[in-house]
Amino acid sequence: RVRPCGTVFEHGPEDGRSLTALRPSAIEVVGQGTVAPLAISEPPQDWEALEGMLLRIDAPLTITGQHDLQRRGVLVASFDGRLFMPTEVAAPGEAARQVAQDNARRKLLLDDASAAERPARIWYLPDGTSSATLRSGSVVTAAEGILDQRWGEYRLQLTAPVAIEPAPRPQPPTVAGNVRIAGFNLENLFNGDGRGGGFPTPRGARTPAQLQSQLAKLVATINALDPDIAALMELENDGYDRYASIAQLTAALNAGGTDWRFVETGQGPGTDAIRVGLLYRASRVRPTGEPAVLEGGPFDARSRVPLAQAFRAGNGPAFVVVATHLKSKGCNEAQGDDRDQGDGQACWNAVRVDSAQRLKHWLDSDPTRASSKLVAIVGDFNAYAQEDPIRVFLEAGWQDAFAPAPGQVPAHSFIFDGQAGRLDHALLSPALAQRLAGAAKWHSNADESDNVGYQDAIDEQNRYSPWRSSDHDPLLIGFDLRTR
């Protein structure tokens, strides 16, 4: 027991998120006391009433984000399972705002009770639990600490180690069907000058060793999925000769004796620093006709230029695969309708909607001249499942290959700020949707810790494994398209 004397002040930003504190001039110890923790089994309607109290959480907490674990020893946890992006599970606007409010109520940060940055070890993790192998989706039990509000969020400043039920790493998925298509955002595959120099790259690997780790992880991921066609995003836009990123990725895949080829458009597509690409197994499918690209409008400076190519498998019908990557949600340079409208869709939604509408009209015109109604759009839309760019296609009769059944948990592919959702989609024309045989996301990346990735891998095993080969999870879809 103490008797402090000092001045009350507000610590932190002057925007309502500050912490009321005492700057002491003297602290007198006047005796000893004990405090029993208050047990709670569900999130309160208002955390404010519990601020400053010693709490014991008598309910499982799901680890739903770990982006601040290495830097500040903080985990994002939540009651009642994962937190999902509001516009992944609800329409933009009021419905999404209600989900956001419920997320805020269910969310609780687990903090290490220290202001130190880059701690050498996370003291509250159980023995044998490494921050490198702690996946989102793991479950925390026996969390006890003092609740405070710091930097606008409620945190449990832990006073004892926690118990953790680790989420296992999932096996690569398999899907039915005789033609399999993968979609994968590579998280900036840049290879310098392609000759061992040019590092650090503008994006991606900072050293040749990091590039080798990145390539090894990407190859391990694609090989594990074993697709016939791979639609790729965030490739360096550096041509098609043997020094290009797409050529060196293809060569790395073929080092194991396979027969990968890439679709070549001569230049680009587009002039952005990154581009989309299509790879295919020559022994399984063959291109039909020439590739097609959609340039102009939002695809000049914002969304990446889409790439379409028709294929056949055996004597089966022609089908078209479209690789696409729409404008990101970052607000830099956003003006007018592209500013954040407060409906949960963040910035540049107007550009993404315009991009989606142009893409749909372009595909209606049969740009590959394949005369096929079997079309799959695969890629990173930078839009969650309920957002406007996705609805452009759904309202026109296209099908979401990963639409969850009622009551089913969505298959996320990305985690941002502790909230999971799908930025990566496979949208199918009505005719192709009838031939869908299976769809799966491999949660090999988004749930993993950053220090498993190619830039921060902490040991040899992680440096060349498929885990955290990107910040996006790959997808795999199967179709009945081959006729013998």
Side-chain angles (χ1 to χ4, degrees):
R1 299 180 183 276
V2 298
R3 179 181 292 115
C5 182
T7 304
V8 175
F9 75 107
E10 295 295 324
H11 174 64
E14 297 179 1
D15 57 1
R17 300 186 301 157
S18 60
L19 178 69
T20 302
L22 184 74
R23 183 177 287 113
S25 57
I27 299 178
E28 179 187 0
V29 177
V30 296
Q32 296 293 323
T34 60
V35 178
L38 173 68
I40 64 172
S41 58
E42 60 183 19
Q45 290 301 317
D46 184 3
W47 284 100
E48 181 75 22
L50 303 179
E51 189 173 354
M53 297 181 69
L54 178 64
L55 304 181
R56 185 181 72 244
I57 310 299
D58 284 348
L61 297 174
T62 299
I63 295 174
T64 191
Q66 47 183 297
H67 52 279
D68 245 358
L69 181 60
Q70 306 304 319
R71 183 179 177 186
R72 296 190 175 94
V74 176
L75 283 171
V76 183
S78 58
F79 290 80
D80 302 323
R82 283 186 188 267
L83 301 177
F84 283 90
M85 277 290 177
T87 51
E88 177 66 31
V89 296
E94 182 56 32
R97 281 190 284 273
Q98 292 180 9
V99 174
Q101 290 171 1
D102 187 59
N103 282 356
R105 183 181 67 89
R106 292 166 50 207
K107 177 179 178 181
L108 180 63
L109 302 186
L110 303 180
D111 207 330
D112 65 355
S114 169
E117 295 213 357
R118 304 288 177 186
R121 60 181 292 270
I122 312 300
W123 68 264
Y124 62 80
L125 294 182
D127 289 343
T129 302
S130 165
S131 59
T133 57
L134 182 63
R135 287 172 53 89
S136 294
S138 299
V139 175
V140 172
T141 57
E144 187 171 306
I146 299 168
L147 184 74
D148 77 1
Q149 185 183 28
R150 196 174 298 259
W151 306 111
E153 296 183 287
Y154 286 101
R155 302 161 182 263
L156 194 66
Q157 301 292 351
L158 295 166
T159 55
V162 299
I164 293 180
E165 298 174 13
R169 284 174 164 170
Q171 293 295 311
T174 58
V175 296
N178 48 39
V179 173
R180 296 182 300 278
I181 302 172
F184 196 15
N185 183 315
L186 305 182
E187 193 183 10
N188 294 311
L189 178 58
F190 278 60
N191 70 339
D193 60 11
R195 300 170 175 84
F199 293 92
T201 60
R203 310 182 189 186
R206 296 185 289 254
T207 66
Q210 286 185 1
L211 174 63
Q212 292 309 306
S213 175
Q214 184 181 24
L215 280 171
K217 284 177 168 290
L218 296 176
V219 167
T221 299
I222 295 171
N223 283 342
L225 295 172
D226 192 28
D228 305 311
I229 300 168
L232 307 177
M233 296 88 234
E234 293 198 11
L235 280 160
E236 182 179 8
N237 197 349
D238 60 346
Y240 294 94
D241 64 22
R242 63 193 180 100
Y243 301 113
S245 289
I246 193 171
Q248 294 191 348
L249 173 60
T250 304
L253 285 165
N254 288 336
T258 51
D259 56 351
W260 284 97
R261 305 286 186 270
F262 55 82
V263 172
E264 182 174 348
T265 63
Q267 60 183 11
T271 58
D272 197 281
I274 55 175
R275 68 181 180 199
V276 301
L278 287 170
L279 306 184
Y280 64 94
R281 291 288 301 274
S283 60
R284 299 179 181 179
V285 298
R286 65 185 187 277
T288 299
E290 298 298 318
V293 298
L294 175 58
E295 299 177 316
F299 300 106
D300 278 340
R302 303 300 180 191
S303 294
R304 269 60 60 172
V305 169
L307 168 63
Q309 175 68 61
F311 296 92
R312 288 184 188 272
N315 294 321
F319 60 95
V320 178
V321 180
V322 186
T324 191
H325 187 189
L326 303 188
K327 180 72 179 76
S328 66
K329 292 177 175 290
C331 291
N332 186 39
E333 298 182 351
Q335 299 292 330
D337 290 343
D338 284 313
R339 295 177 68 92
D340 191 334
Q341 304 298 305
D343 59 359
Q345 301 186 92
C347 289
W348 297 107
N349 185 58
V351 157
R352 289 190 294 274
V353 170
D354 185 24
S355 302
Q357 291 170 337
R358 290 172 186 254
L359 178 59
K360 185 181 77 68
H361 293 321
W362 180 62
L363 294 175
D364 289 343
S365 72
D366 188 22
T368 64
R369 301 296 178 257
S371 300
S372 176
K373 299 294 185 181
L374 307 173
V375 184
I377 308 172
V378 182
D380 179 358
F381 280 69
N382 274 305
Y384 294 105
Q386 303 295 324
E387 294 188 11
D388 297 338
I390 307 302
R391 296 178 65 85
V392 166
F393 288 93
L394 300 184
E395 291 172 0
W398 289 66
Q399 301 295 311
D400 177 0
F402 290 91
Q408 183 182 21
V409 175
H412 65 279
S413 67
F414 192 74
I415 295 177
F416 179 75
D417 195 26
Q419 299 176 103
R422 287 185 296 146
L423 295 177
D424 308 273
H425 299 270
L427 301 180
L428 313 178
S429 65
L432 185 60
Q434 296 179 10
R435 294 174 178 258
L436 178 66
K441 295 279 178 79
W442 188 18
H443 300 309
S444 55
N445 294 327
D447 287 338
E448 291 282 330
S449 172
D450 285 345
N451 67 355
V452 180
Y454 68 89
Q455 290 188 340
D456 302 302
I458 61 174
D459 56 43
E460 198 74 6
Q461 180 180 359
N462 282 306
R463 198 164 291 128
Y464 301 105
S465 73
W467 307 111
R468 197 69 183 189
S469 59
S470 170
D471 53 348
H472 291 245
D473 287 331
L475 63 85
L476 186 67
I477 44 179
F479 301 93
D480 293 321
L481 288 168
R482 182 183 294 274
T483 302
R484 296 188 183 276

